[in-house]
């Protein structure tokens, strides 16, 4: 998120379809729909929960704090480097990500952030939840995440795979596609399957 000269927030996003960067002024956005087709309403709550700013504003100057941006980027980087992409891919492997699965992924993210000296505020936890719910990992992102996980070593791999088991067990139903995905991740990282 950036701000233009008038203080209007601008979303800078990657279009996966066109493989190009796109810019969206929030004052021109009429509706937001997530990948599952649910409409985000009201938009003001979506902006606050997902990106940490209030829009529309009345006599409020939008200040995009570089310290807050740096902290948010550190949180996301910590989660990505710890394997949140792989956990999200596991949750999606049966075709849908359920609230219980997101909750387990977030617990893992909180632990990883805490291990890196980042204690999340309530607002940051809500924002991180929005980030995790929006993840839709591509095959390339999964491959990169597997490489990063392998580089982190056996202890981190063990922690990640245990979190993977908790994610696929979270909703009380273990789908064969989830088992297959987790086994493949485990084979790629350790040479052995989990099940």
């Amino acid at each position: 998120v950036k701000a233009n000269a008038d203080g209007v927030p601008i979303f800078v996003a990657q279009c996966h379809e066109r493989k190009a960067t796109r810019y969206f002024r929030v004052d021109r956005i009429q509706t937001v729909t997530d990948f599952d087709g649910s409409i985000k309403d009201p938009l003001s709550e979506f902006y606050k929960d997902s990106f940490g700013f209030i829009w529309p504003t009345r006599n409020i100057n939008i200040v995009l704090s570089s310290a807050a941006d740096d902290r948010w980027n550190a949180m996301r980087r910590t989660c990505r480097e710890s394997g949140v992409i792989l956990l999200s891919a596991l949750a999606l492997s049966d075709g849908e990500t359920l609230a219980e699965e997101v909750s387990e992924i977030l617990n893992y993210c909180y632990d990883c952030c805490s291990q890196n000296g980042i204690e999340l505020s309530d607002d940051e936890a809500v924002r991180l939840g929005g980030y995790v719910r929006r993840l839709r990992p591509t095959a390339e992102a999964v491959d990169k995440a597997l490489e990063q996980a392998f580089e982190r070593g056996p202890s981190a791999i063990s922690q990640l795979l245990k979190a993977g088991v908790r994610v696929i067990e979270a909703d009380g139903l273990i789908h064969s596609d989830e088992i297959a995905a987790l086994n493949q991740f485990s084979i790629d990282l350790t040479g052995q399957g989990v099940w």
Side-chain angles (χ1 to χ4, degrees):
V1 179
K2 297 185 178 196
N4 70 7
D6 298 326
V8 176
I10 306 287
F11 289 136
V12 181
Q14 183 69 24
C15 175
H16 296 283
E17 185 176 304
R18 293 197 170 88
K19 308 250 188 267
T21 301
R22 297 287 188 251
Y23 299 85
F24 303 93
R25 287 176 52 132
V26 296
D27 60 337
R28 294 183 181 162
I29 295 174
Q30 296 178 0
T31 188
V32 173
T33 307
D34 69 15
F35 282 103
D36 298 326
S38 63
I39 295 174
K40 300 299 179 185
D41 191 43
L43 282 175
S44 59
E45 285 295 314
F46 170 72
Y47 296 146
K48 182 176 181 283
D49 293 345
S50 299
F51 302 101
F53 67 83
I54 299 169
W55 190 266
T57 60
R58 304 276 190 263
N59 300 323
I60 298 175
N61 291 328
I62 294 179
V63 178
L64 298 174
S65 163
S66 62
D69 288 344
D70 291 345
R71 184 170 163 80
W72 172 242
N73 289 332
M75 283 183 274
R76 284 190 322 175
R77 184 175 50 256
T78 297
C79 293
R80 277 195 317 268
E81 290 173 357
S82 299
V84 70
I85 297 296
L86 298 175
L87 296 179
S88 181
L90 281 175
L92 279 168
S93 63
D94 65 352
E96 61 182 335
T97 301
L98 301 176
E100 298 89 353
E101 294 167 324
V102 170
S103 180
E104 283 299 331
I105 295 170
L106 286 172
N107 288 336
Y108 176 77
C109 289
Y110 300 153
D111 289 344
C112 292
C113 284
S114 181
Q115 291 169 9
N116 284 283
I118 304 171
E119 298 300 328
L120 279 66
S121 69
D122 291 342
D123 288 341
E124 290 170 334
V126 168
R127 187 175 183 191
L128 189 60
Y131 168 73
V132 168
R133 281 188 291 281
R134 288 189 307 277
L135 286 174
R136 298 295 184 269
T138 63
E140 294 83 15
V142 167
D143 289 342
K144 183 177 179 180
L146 284 166
E147 289 174 18
Q148 289 176 328
F150 186 77
E151 291 171 4
R152 293 184 67 230
S155 176
I157 290 170
S158 176
Q159 183 183 7
L160 176 62
L161 292 174
K162 287 176 184 175
V165 170
R166 289 191 302 274
V167 168
I168 68 172
E169 290 178 340
D171 61 359
L173 301 169
I174 301 176
H175 194 277
S176 61
D177 289 340
E178 293 172 325
I179 292 172
L182 182 59
N183 272 331
Q184 188 59 56
F185 292 165
S186 181
I187 290 167
D188 291 344
L189 294 170
T190 69
Q192 298 177 4
V194 174
W195 264 283

